[in-house]
Amino acid sequence: KIKELKKLYVDKCQICNQRIDLNNGRFYSEVHHYNPLKKQSDDDFGNMIVLCPNHHAEFDYSTKFIHRDGISIINQSGNDIGETIKFHKLHTLDMKNIESQLG
């Protein structure tokens, strides 16, 4: 699943559109389970997003979240920080996973 999702986004972060060039024709990106698996969440595309390592760390450490509108990125206080997340037409993040992080 992870390889498929990375391929869909050509290893580019869904927020900043960056990827790491490994200089051998390959690229690096990371896949984040938006609602952590340790919370018994779904291990499917509706709970995964492709990110660069920096954005991945920010989501892992709960310094950034996806707003209920499904595209705006907000901080811990719920303030819009001027970033958005883009989705391919074949991929969506389930609203239940977005809600799970907003409390």
Side-chain angles (χ1 to χ4, degrees), residues 37-94:
L37 292 176
K38 65 184 176 187
K39 291 184 177 181
Q40 308 300 314
S41 65
D42 300 328
D43 186 22
D44 61 22
F45 296 133
N47 188 34
M48 296 177 181
I49 52 177
V50 178
L51 299 172
C52 66
N54 288 339
H55 278 114
H56 193 181
E58 290 172 323
F59 279 91
D60 274 350
Y61 286 98
S62 301
T63 64
K64 290 187 178 179
F65 304 89
I66 299 173
H67 187 276
R68 285 181 174 88
D69 67 10
I71 39 174
S72 301
I73 305 298
I74 58 175
N75 63 17
Q76 306 97 313
S77 301
N79 298 319
D80 188 316
I81 59 170
E83 291 181 317
T84 58
I85 187 164
K86 296 125 194 109
F87 287 93
H88 189 279
K89 64 182 178 182
L90 299 176
H91 174 233
T92 59
L93 191 62
D94 290 341

Side-chain angles (χ1 to χ4, degrees), residues 9-21 27-30 50-53 55:
Y9 287 98
V10 199
D11 281 306
K12 291 184 179 180
C13 178
Q14 289 180 243
I15 297 171
C16 67
N17 206 38
Q18 298 297 307
R19 63 183 177 184
I20 296 172
D21 185 346
F27 299 95
Y28 179 80
S29 63
E30 299 178 352
V50 178
L51 299 172
C52 66
H55 278 114

